[in-house]
Amino acid sequence: DTGVSQNPRHKITKRGQNVTFRCDPISEHNRLYWYRQTLGQGPEFLTYFQNEAQLEKSRLLSDRFSAERPKGSFSTLEIQRTEQGDSAMYLCASSPGAGTEAFFGQGTRLTVV
Amino acid sequence: LAKTTQPISMDSYEGQEVNITCSHNNIATNDYITWYQQFPSQGPRFIIQGYKTKVTNEVASLFIPADRKSSTLSLPRVSLSDTAVYYCLVGGYSGAGSYQLTFGKGTKLSVIP
């Protein structure tokens, strides 16, 4: 399968713990996006990478959130000191260029208890 | 970034053609119109993209009038497996040069046997 891969698919954590998610984009895609989606809502943009450079961050991305994309390949999204409001589906997408089709992974569902 | 408005939900019987209209009154000159489909617990999947007039692929058609202030996604002869949420997006370049995909709440299509 050469699609976008996200791990883990599900994560349950206690409030206050740190969690890290991984996204492996399609190999030749230089653009990578993170989104967050809560029940009944559309995906909300979090951040965007072009190769290894993080070019844009949403105001939704508080100081507890950090994302990296070392060497322009896979990306990680870390949430520190998780809160119940962080419970959501975290989606990763990649695309080969601007204005083109974006391919989404199946997401990581985070539940903070 | 252009805001989109689309119906919250639609019902259709199997075998019928379904048309979902999206309004995007403040679309910019270089914005493309893109539609995505999302099934529960999965990431969105690209359906079709267009700039003006009509675009057709193996799964859908996209009609865009000359003023580009709206667009209509047409799904021919829907089946039960087309039950999903459909998102209309108008993509534009943000200040950082990304092609930010901004999702609304989408249209929940229910296909009835």
Side-chain angles (χ1 to χ4, degrees), chain B residues 25-105:
Chain B
N25 290 321
N26 58 341
I27 187 170
T29 303
N30 61 349
D31 284 347
Y32 278 76
I33 300 156
T34 310
W35 286 80
Y36 283 80
Q37 175 193 55
Q38 187 176 29
F39 298 113
S41 299
Q42 293 189 23
R45 184 174 72 104
F46 172 90
I47 301 175
I48 197 166
Q49 184 180 77
Y51 184 79
K52 62 180 179 181
T53 63
K54 177 183 174 182
V55 179
T56 298
N57 62 21
E58 62 275 7
V59 297
S61 294
L62 178 60
F63 298 92
I64 305 168
D67 66 5
R68 303 199 329 120
K69 293 184 183 299
S70 67
S71 59
T72 299
L73 174 72
S74 181
L75 304 172
R77 298 184 300 280
V78 294
S79 64
L80 295 177
S81 63
D82 293 317
T83 294
V85 178
Y86 292 82
Y87 295 97
C88 165
L89 282 70
V90 177
Y93 285 94
S94 70
S98 72
Y99 194 81
Q100 188 178 119
L101 302 177
T102 302
F103 289 81
K105 293 188 177 181

Coordinates of all heavy atoms in Angstrom, one line a residue, chain B residues 25-105:
Chain B
N25 N -19.1 32.8 -2.6 CA -19.3 34.1 -3.2 C -18.0 34.9 -3.4 O -17.8 35.7 -4.2 CB -20.3 34.9 -2.5 CG -21.7 34.4 -2.6 OD1 -22.1 34.0 -3.7 ND2 -22.5 34.4 -1.6
N26 N -17.0 34.7 -2.4 CA -15.8 35.5 -2.4 C -14.6 34.7 -3.0 O -13.5 34.9 -2.5 CB -15.5 36.0 -1.1 CG -15.4 35.0 0.0 OD1 -15.8 33.8 -0.2 ND2 -14.7 35.3 1.1
I27 N -14.9 33.8 -3.9 CA -13.8 33.0 -4.5 C -12.8 33.9 -5.2 O -13.2 34.9 -5.9 CB -14.4 31.9 -5.5 CG1 -13.3 31.0 -6.0 CG2 -15.1 32.6 -6.6 CD1 -13.8 29.8 -6.7
A28 N -11.5 33.6 -5.1 CA -10.5 34.5 -5.7 C -10.1 33.9 -7.1 O -10.4 32.8 -7.4 CB -9.2 34.5 -4.8
T29 N -9.5 34.8 -7.8 CA -9.2 34.5 -9.2 C -8.4 33.2 -9.4 O -8.7 32.4 -10.3 CB -8.4 35.6 -9.9 OG1 -9.1 36.8 -9.7 CG2 -8.1 35.4 -11.3
N30 N -7.4 32.9 -8.5 CA -6.6 31.7 -8.7 C -7.1 30.5 -7.9 O -6.3 29.6 -7.7 CB -5.1 32.0 -8.4 CG -4.9 32.5 -7.0 OD1 -5.9 32.8 -6.3 ND2 -3.7 32.6 -6.5
D31 N -8.3 30.6 -7.3 CA -8.8 29.5 -6.5 C -9.4 28.4 -7.3 O -10.1 28.7 -8.3 CB -9.9 30.0 -5.5 CG -9.3 30.7 -4.3 OD1 -8.1 30.7 -4.1 OD2 -10.2 31.4 -3.6
Y32 N -9.1 27.1 -7.0 CA -9.7 26.0 -7.6 C -10.8 25.5 -6.6 O -10.8 25.8 -5.4 CB -8.7 24.9 -7.8 CG -7.9 25.0 -9.0 CD1 -6.8 25.9 -9.1 CD2 -8.2 24.2 -10.1 CE1 -6.1 26.1 -10.2 CE2 -7.4 24.3 -11.3 CZ -6.4 25.3 -11.3 OH -5.7 25.4 -12.5
I33 N -11.8 24.8 -7.2 CA -12.9 24.2 -6.4 C -12.7 22.7 -6.4 O -12.5 22.1 -7.4 CB -14.2 24.6 -7.0 CG1 -14.4 26.1 -7.1 CG2 -15.4 23.9 -6.3 CD1 -15.4 26.5 -8.2
T34 N -12.6 22.2 -5.1 CA -12.3 20.8 -5.0 C -13.4 20.1 -4.1 O -13.9 20.7 -3.1 CB -11.0 20.6 -4.3 OG1 -10.0 21.4 -5.0 CG2 -10.5 19.2 -4.3
W35 N -13.8 18.9 -4.4 CA -14.8 18.2 -3.6 C -14.1 16.9 -3.0 O -13.3 16.2 -3.8 CB -16.0 17.8 -4.4 CG -16.9 18.9 -4.7 CD1 -16.7 19.9 -5.7 CD2 -18.1 19.2 -4.0 NE1 -17.8 20.8 -5.6 CE2 -18.6 20.4 -4.6 CE3 -18.8 18.6 -3.0 CZ2 -19.8 21.0 -4.2 CZ3 -20.0 19.2 -2.6 CH2 -20.5 20.4 -3.2
Y36 N -14.4 16.7 -1.8 CA -13.9 15.5 -1.1 C -15.1 14.7 -0.5 O -16.1 15.2 -0.2 CB -12.9 15.8 0.1 CG -11.6 16.2 -0.4 CD1 -11.3 17.5 -0.8 CD2 -10.5 15.3 -0.3 CE1 -10.0 17.9 -1.2 CE2 -9.2 15.7 -0.7 CZ -9.0 16.9 -1.2 OH -7.7 17.3 -1.6
Q37 N -14.9 13.4 -0.4 CA -15.8 12.5 0.2 C -15.2 11.9 1.4 O -14.0 11.5 1.5 CB -16.2 11.4 -0.8 CG -17.1 10.3 -0.3 CD -17.1 9.1 -1.3 OE1 -16.0 8.5 -1.6 NE2 -18.2 8.7 -1.8
Q38 N -16.0 11.7 2.5 CA -15.5 11.1 3.7 C -16.5 10.1 4.3 O -17.7 10.5 4.5 CB -15.2 12.2 4.8 CG -14.5 11.6 6.0 CD -14.0 12.6 7.0 OE1 -14.6 13.7 7.1 NE2 -13.0 12.3 7.7
F39 N -16.0 8.9 4.5 CA -16.8 7.9 5.2 C -16.4 7.9 6.7 O -15.4 8.4 7.0 CB -16.5 6.5 4.6 CG -16.9 6.4 3.2 CD1 -15.9 6.2 2.2 CD2 -18.2 6.4 2.8 CE1 -16.2 6.1 0.9 CE2 -18.5 6.2 1.4 CZ -17.5 6.1 0.5
P40 N -17.3 7.4 7.6 CA -17.0 7.4 9.0 C -15.7 6.7 9.3 O -15.3 5.7 8.7 CB -18.2 6.6 9.6 CG -19.3 6.8 8.6 CD -18.7 6.9 7.3
S41 N -14.9 7.3 10.2 CA -13.7 6.8 10.7 C -12.6 6.7 9.6 O -11.7 5.8 9.7 CB -13.9 5.5 11.4 OG -14.7 5.6 12.5
Q42 N -12.7 7.4 8.5 CA -11.7 7.4 7.5 C -11.4 8.9 7.1 O -12.1 9.8 7.4 CB -12.2 6.7 6.2 CG -12.4 5.2 6.4 CD -12.7 4.5 5.1 OE1 -12.4 5.0 4.0 NE2 -13.4 3.4 5.1
G43 N -10.2 9.0 6.5 CA -9.8 10.4 6.0 C -10.6 10.7 4.8 O -11.1 9.9 4.1
P44 N -10.7 12.0 4.5 CA -11.4 12.5 3.3 C -10.7 11.9 2.0 O -9.5 11.7 2.0 CB -11.3 14.0 3.3 CG -11.1 14.3 4.8 CD -10.3 13.2 5.3
R45 N -11.5 11.7 1.0 CA -10.9 11.2 -0.3 C -11.3 12.2 -1.4 O -12.4 12.6 -1.5 CB -11.5 9.8 -0.6 CG -11.0 9.1 -1.8 CD -11.5 7.7 -1.9 NE -12.9 7.7 -2.2 CZ -13.4 7.3 -3.4 NH1 -12.5 7.1 -4.4 NH2 -14.7 7.3 -3.7
F46 N -10.3 12.5 -2.2 CA -10.5 13.5 -3.3 C -11.5 12.9 -4.3 O -11.4 11.7 -4.7 CB -9.2 13.7 -4.0 CG -9.2 14.5 -5.3 CD1 -9.1 15.9 -5.3 CD2 -9.4 13.8 -6.5 CE1 -9.2 16.6 -6.5 CE2 -9.4 14.5 -7.7 CZ -9.3 15.9 -7.7
I47 N -12.5 13.7 -4.8 CA -13.4 13.3 -5.8 C -13.1 13.9 -7.1 O -12.9 13.3 -8.1 CB -14.9 13.6 -5.4 CG1 -15.3 12.9 -4.1 CG2 -15.8 13.1 -6.5 CD1 -16.7 13.3 -3.6
I48 N -13.1 15.3 -7.1 CA -13.0 16.0 -8.3 C -12.5 17.4 -8.1 O -12.8 17.9 -7.0 CB -14.3 16.0 -9.1 CG1 -14.2 16.3 -10.6 CG2 -15.4 16.9 -8.4 CD1 -15.4 16.0 -11.4
Q49 N -11.9 18.0 -9.0 CA -11.5 19.4 -8.9 C -11.7 20.2 -10.2 O -11.5 19.6 -11.3 CB -10.0 19.5 -8.5 CG -9.4 20.9 -8.3 CD -7.9 20.8 -7.9 OE1 -7.1 20.6 -8.7 NE2 -7.7 20.9 -6.6
G50 N -12.0 21.4 -10.1 CA -12.2 22.2 -11.3 C -11.9 23.7 -11.1 O -11.9 24.2 -10.0
Y51 N -11.8 24.4 -12.2 CA -11.6 25.8 -12.2 C -12.8 26.6 -12.8 O -13.3 27.6 -12.2 CB -10.3 26.2 -12.9 CG -10.0 27.7 -12.8 CD1 -9.4 28.2 -11.6 CD2 -10.3 28.6 -13.8 CE1 -9.2 29.6 -11.5 CE2 -10.0 29.9 -13.7 CZ -9.5 30.4 -12.6 OH -9.2 31.8 -12.4
K52 N -13.3 26.1 -13.9 CA -14.4 26.7 -14.6 C -15.1 25.7 -15.5 O -14.6 24.6 -15.8 CB -14.1 28.0 -15.3 CG -13.1 27.8 -16.5 CD -12.8 29.1 -17.2 CE -11.8 28.9 -18.3 NZ -11.5 30.1 -19.0
T53 N -16.3 26.0 -15.9 CA -17.2 25.2 -16.8 C -17.4 23.8 -16.2 O -18.0 23.7 -15.1 CB -16.6 25.1 -18.2 OG1 -15.3 24.5 -18.2 CG2 -16.4 26.5 -18.8
K54 N -17.1 22.8 -16.9 CA -17.5 21.4 -16.5 C -16.3 20.5 -16.5 O -15.5 20.5 -17.4 CB -18.6 20.9 -17.4 CG -19.0 19.5 -17.1 CD -20.1 19.0 -18.1 CE -20.4 17.5 -17.9 NZ -21.4 17.0 -18.9
V55 N -16.2 19.7 -15.4 CA -15.2 18.7 -15.3 C -15.9 17.4 -15.1 O -16.8 17.3 -14.2 CB -14.2 19.0 -14.2 CG1 -13.2 17.9 -14.1 CG2 -13.6 20.3 -14.4
T56 N -15.5 16.3 -15.7 CA -16.1 15.0 -15.5 C -15.0 14.0 -15.3 O -14.0 14.0 -16.0 CB -17.0 14.6 -16.7 OG1 -18.1 15.6 -16.8 CG2 -17.6 13.2 -16.5
N57 N -15.2 13.1 -14.3 CA -14.3 11.9 -14.2 C -15.2 10.7 -14.1 O -16.4 10.7 -14.3 CB -13.3 12.1 -13.1 CG -13.9 12.2 -11.7 OD1 -15.0 11.8 -11.5 ND2 -13.2 12.8 -10.8
E58 N -14.5 9.6 -13.7 CA -15.3 8.3 -13.7 C -16.3 8.2 -12.5 O -17.1 7.3 -12.6 CB -14.3 7.1 -13.6 CG -13.4 7.1 -12.3 CD -12.2 8.0 -12.4 OE1 -12.0 8.7 -13.4 OE2 -11.4 8.0 -11.5
V59 N -16.2 9.1 -11.6 CA -17.2 9.0 -10.5 C -18.1 10.2 -10.4 O -19.2 10.1 -9.8 CB -16.4 8.9 -9.1 CG1 -15.6 7.6 -9.1 CG2 -15.6 10.1 -8.8
A60 N -17.8 11.3 -10.9 CA -18.7 12.5 -10.7 C -18.4 13.6 -11.8 O -17.5 13.5 -12.6 CB -18.3 13.2 -9.4
S61 N -19.3 14.5 -11.8 CA -19.2 15.7 -12.7 C -19.2 17.0 -11.8 O -19.9 17.0 -10.7 CB -20.3 15.8 -13.7 OG -20.2 14.7 -14.6
L62 N -18.5 18.0 -12.2 CA -18.5 19.2 -11.5 C -18.9 20.4 -12.4 O -18.2 20.5 -13.5 CB -17.1 19.5 -10.9 CG -16.9 20.8 -10.1 CD1 -17.9 20.9 -8.9 CD2 -15.5 20.9 -9.6
F63 N -19.9 21.1 -12.1 CA -20.4 22.2 -12.9 C -20.1 23.5 -12.2 O -20.5 23.7 -11.1 CB -21.9 22.1 -13.2 CG -22.3 20.8 -13.9 CD1 -22.6 19.6 -13.2 CD2 -22.3 20.7 -15.3 CE1 -23.0 18.5 -13.8 CE2 -22.7 19.6 -15.9 CZ -23.0 18.4 -15.2
I64 N -19.4 24.4 -13.0 CA -19.1 25.7 -12.4 C -19.5 26.8 -13.4 O -19.1 26.8 -14.5 CB -17.5 25.8 -12.2 CG1 -17.0 24.6 -11.4 CG2 -17.1 27.1 -11.6 CD1 -15.5 24.5 -11.4
P65 N -20.4 27.7 -12.9 CA -20.9 28.7 -13.8 C -19.8 29.7 -14.1 O -18.8 29.7 -13.4 CB -22.1 29.3 -13.0 CG -21.8 29.1 -11.6 CD -21.0 27.7 -11.6
A66 N -20.1 30.6 -15.0 CA -19.1 31.6 -15.5 C -18.6 32.5 -14.3 O -17.4 32.9 -14.3 CB -19.6 32.4 -16.6
D67 N -19.5 32.9 -13.4 CA -19.1 33.8 -12.3 C -18.3 33.0 -11.2 O -17.8 33.7 -10.3 CB -20.3 34.6 -11.8 CG -21.3 33.7 -11.1 OD1 -21.1 32.4 -10.9 OD2 -22.4 34.2 -10.7
R68 N -18.3 31.7 -11.2 CA -17.6 30.9 -10.3 C -18.0 31.1 -8.8 O -17.3 30.7 -7.9 CB -16.1 31.1 -10.4 CG -15.6 30.8 -11.8 CD -14.1 30.5 -12.0 NE -13.2 31.2 -11.0 CZ -12.4 30.5 -10.2 NH1 -12.4 29.2 -10.2 NH2 -11.7 31.2 -9.3
K69 N -19.2 31.7 -8.6 CA -19.6 31.9 -7.2 C -20.3 30.7 -6.6 O -20.7 30.8 -5.4 CB -20.5 33.2 -7.2 CG -19.7 34.5 -7.5 CD -20.6 35.7 -7.3 CE -19.9 36.9 -7.7 NZ -18.8 37.2 -6.8
S70 N -20.5 29.7 -7.4 CA -21.1 28.5 -6.9 C -20.6 27.3 -7.7 O -19.9 27.5 -8.8 CB -22.6 28.5 -7.0 OG -23.0 28.5 -8.3
S71 N -20.8 26.1 -7.3 CA -20.5 24.9 -8.0 C -21.4 23.8 -7.6 O -22.0 23.8 -6.5 CB -19.0 24.5 -7.8 OG -18.8 24.2 -6.4
T72 N -21.6 22.9 -8.5 CA -22.5 21.7 -8.3 C -21.8 20.4 -8.5 O -21.3 20.2 -9.7 CB -23.8 21.8 -9.1 OG1 -24.5 23.1 -8.8 CG2 -24.7 20.7 -8.9
L73 N -21.8 19.6 -7.5 CA -21.2 18.2 -7.7 C -22.4 17.3 -8.1 O -23.4 17.3 -7.4 CB -20.6 17.7 -6.3 CG -20.2 16.3 -6.3 CD1 -18.9 16.1 -7.1 CD2 -20.0 15.8 -4.9
S74 N -22.2 16.6 -9.2 CA -23.3 15.7 -9.6 C -22.8 14.3 -9.5 O -21.7 13.9 -10.1 CB -23.6 16.0 -11.1 OG -24.7 15.2 -11.5
L75 N -23.5 13.4 -8.8 CA -23.2 12.0 -8.7 C -24.3 11.2 -9.4 O -25.4 11.2 -9.1 CB -23.2 11.6 -7.2 CG -22.3 12.4 -6.3 CD1 -22.5 12.0 -4.8 CD2 -20.8 12.1 -6.6
P76 N -23.9 10.5 -10.5 CA -24.9 9.8 -11.3 C -25.3 8.5 -10.6 O -24.4 7.8 -10.1 CB -24.2 9.6 -12.6 CG -22.7 9.5 -12.2 CD -22.5 10.4 -11.1
R77 N -26.5 8.2 -10.6 CA -27.0 6.9 -10.2 C -26.4 6.4 -8.9 O -25.6 5.5 -8.8 CB -26.8 5.8 -11.3 CG -27.6 6.2 -12.5 CD -27.4 5.0 -13.6 NE -26.1 4.8 -13.9 CZ -25.4 5.6 -14.8 NH1 -26.0 6.6 -15.4 NH2 -24.1 5.3 -15.1
V78 N -26.7 7.1 -7.8 CA -26.0 6.8 -6.5 C -26.4 5.4 -6.0 O -27.5 4.9 -6.3 CB -26.3 7.8 -5.4 CG1 -25.7 9.2 -5.8 CG2 -27.8 8.0 -5.2
S79 N -25.5 4.8 -5.2 CA -25.8 3.5 -4.6 C -25.6 3.7 -3.1 O -25.2 4.8 -2.6 CB -24.8 2.5 -5.1 OG -23.5 2.8 -4.7
L80 N -26.0 2.7 -2.3 CA -25.9 2.8 -0.9 C -24.5 3.1 -0.4 O -24.3 3.8 0.6 CB -26.3 1.5 -0.2 CG -27.8 1.1 -0.4 CD1 -28.0 -0.3 0.2 CD2 -28.7 2.1 0.2
S81 N -23.5 2.7 -1.2 CA -22.1 3.0 -0.8 C -21.7 4.4 -1.0 O -20.6 4.8 -0.6 CB -21.1 2.0 -1.6 OG -21.3 2.3 -3.0
D82 N -22.5 5.2 -1.6 CA -22.2 6.6 -1.7 C -22.7 7.4 -0.5 O -22.5 8.6 -0.5 CB -22.9 7.2 -3.0 CG -22.4 6.6 -4.3 OD1 -21.1 6.5 -4.4 OD2 -23.1 6.3 -5.2
T83 N -23.3 6.8 0.5 CA -23.6 7.4 1.7 C -22.4 7.9 2.4 O -21.5 7.1 2.8 CB -24.4 6.5 2.6 OG1 -25.7 6.2 2.0 CG2 -24.7 7.1 4.0
A84 N -22.2 9.2 2.6 CA -21.0 9.8 3.1 C -21.2 11.3 3.3 O -22.3 11.8 3.0 CB -19.8 9.5 2.1
V85 N -20.2 11.9 3.8 CA -20.2 13.4 3.9 C -19.4 13.9 2.7 O -18.3 13.4 2.5 CB -19.6 13.9 5.2 CG1 -19.6 15.4 5.3 CG2 -20.4 13.3 6.4
Y86 N -19.9 14.9 2.1 CA -19.2 15.5 0.9 C -18.9 17.0 1.2 O -19.7 17.8 1.6 CB -20.1 15.5 -0.3 CG -20.4 14.0 -0.8 CD1 -21.3 13.2 -0.2 CD2 -19.6 13.5 -1.8 CE1 -21.5 11.9 -0.6 CE2 -19.7 12.2 -2.2 CZ -20.7 11.4 -1.6 OH -20.8 10.1 -1.9
Y87 N -17.6 17.3 1.0 CA -17.1 18.6 1.4 C -16.7 19.4 0.1 O -16.1 18.8 -0.8 CB -15.8 18.5 2.2 CG -16.0 17.9 3.6 CD1 -15.7 16.6 3.8 CD2 -16.5 18.7 4.6 CE1 -15.9 16.0 5.1 CE2 -16.6 18.2 5.9 CZ -16.3 16.8 6.1 OH -16.5 16.3 7.4
C88 N -17.1 20.6 0.1 CA -16.8 21.5 -1.0 C -15.7 22.4 -0.4 O -15.8 23.0 0.6 CB -18.0 22.4 -1.4 SG -17.6 23.8 -2.4
L89 N -14.6 22.5 -1.2 CA -13.4 23.3 -0.7 C -13.0 24.3 -1.8 O -13.0 24.0 -3.0 CB -12.2 22.5 -0.4 CG -12.2 21.7 0.9 CD1 -13.1 20.6 0.9 CD2 -10.7 21.2 1.1
V90 N -12.7 25.5 -1.4 CA -12.1 26.5 -2.3 C -10.7 26.8 -1.8 O -10.6 27.4 -0.7 CB -13.0 27.7 -2.4 CG1 -12.4 28.8 -3.3 CG2 -14.4 27.4 -2.9
G91 N -9.8 26.4 -2.5 CA -8.4 26.5 -2.0 C -7.7 27.7 -2.5 O -7.9 28.1 -3.7
G92 N -7.0 28.3 -1.6 CA -6.2 29.5 -2.0 C -4.9 29.6 -1.3 O -4.7 28.9 -0.3
Y93 N -4.0 30.4 -1.8 CA -2.7 30.5 -1.2 C -2.8 31.4 0.1 O -3.3 32.5 0.0 CB -1.7 31.1 -2.2 CG -1.3 30.1 -3.2 CD1 -1.9 30.0 -4.4 CD2 -0.2 29.2 -2.9 CE1 -1.5 29.1 -5.3 CE2 0.2 28.3 -3.8 CZ -0.5 28.2 -5.1 OH -0.1 27.3 -6.0
S94 N -2.3 31.0 1.1 CA -2.2 31.8 2.3 C -0.9 32.6 2.3 O -0.1 32.5 1.3 CB -2.2 30.9 3.6 OG -1.0 30.2 3.7
G95 N -0.7 33.4 3.2 CA 0.5 34.3 3.2 C 1.8 33.5 3.2 O 2.8 33.9 2.7
A96 N 1.8 32.3 3.8 CA 3.0 31.5 3.8 C 3.2 30.7 2.6 O 4.2 30.0 2.5 CB 2.9 30.5 5.0
G97 N 2.3 30.8 1.6 CA 2.5 30.1 0.3 C 2.0 28.7 0.3 O 2.2 28.0 -0.6
S98 N 1.3 28.3 1.3 CA 0.7 27.0 1.3 C -0.6 27.0 0.5 O -1.2 28.0 0.3 CB 0.4 26.5 2.7 OG -0.6 27.2 3.3
Y99 N -1.1 25.8 0.1 CA -2.4 25.7 -0.5 C -3.3 25.1 0.6 O -3.4 23.9 0.6 CB -2.3 24.8 -1.7 CG -3.5 24.9 -2.6 CD1 -3.7 26.0 -3.5 CD2 -4.5 24.0 -2.5 CE1 -4.8 26.1 -4.3 CE2 -5.6 24.1 -3.3 CZ -5.8 25.1 -4.2 OH -6.9 25.2 -5.0
Q100 N -3.8 26.0 1.4 CA -4.5 25.5 2.6 C -5.9 25.0 2.2 O -6.7 25.8 1.6 CB -4.6 26.6 3.6 CG -5.2 26.2 4.9 CD -5.3 27.3 5.9 OE1 -6.3 27.7 6.4 NE2 -4.1 27.9 6.2
L101 N -6.2 23.8 2.5 CA -7.5 23.2 2.3 C -8.4 23.6 3.5 O -8.1 23.1 4.6 CB -7.4 21.7 2.1 CG -6.5 21.3 0.9 CD1 -6.5 19.7 0.9 CD2 -7.1 21.8 -0.4
T102 N -9.4 24.4 3.3 CA -10.3 24.8 4.4 C -11.7 24.0 4.2 O -12.4 24.3 3.3 CB -10.6 26.3 4.4 OG1 -9.3 26.9 4.5 CG2 -11.4 26.7 5.5
F103 N -11.9 23.1 5.2 CA -13.2 22.3 5.1 C -14.3 23.0 5.9 O -14.0 23.6 7.0 CB -12.9 21.0 5.8 CG -12.1 20.0 5.0 CD1 -10.7 20.2 5.0 CD2 -12.6 19.0 4.2 CE1 -9.9 19.3 4.3 CE2 -11.8 18.2 3.5 CZ -10.5 18.3 3.5
G104 N -15.5 23.0 5.4 CA -16.7 23.4 6.1 C -17.2 22.2 6.8 O -16.5 21.2 7.1
K105 N -18.5 22.2 7.1 CA -19.2 21.1 7.8 C -19.6 20.0 6.8 O -19.9 18.9 7.2 CB -20.4 21.6 8.6 CG -20.0 22.4 9.8 CD -21.1 22.7 10.7 CE -20.7 23.5 11.9 NZ -21.8 23.8 12.8

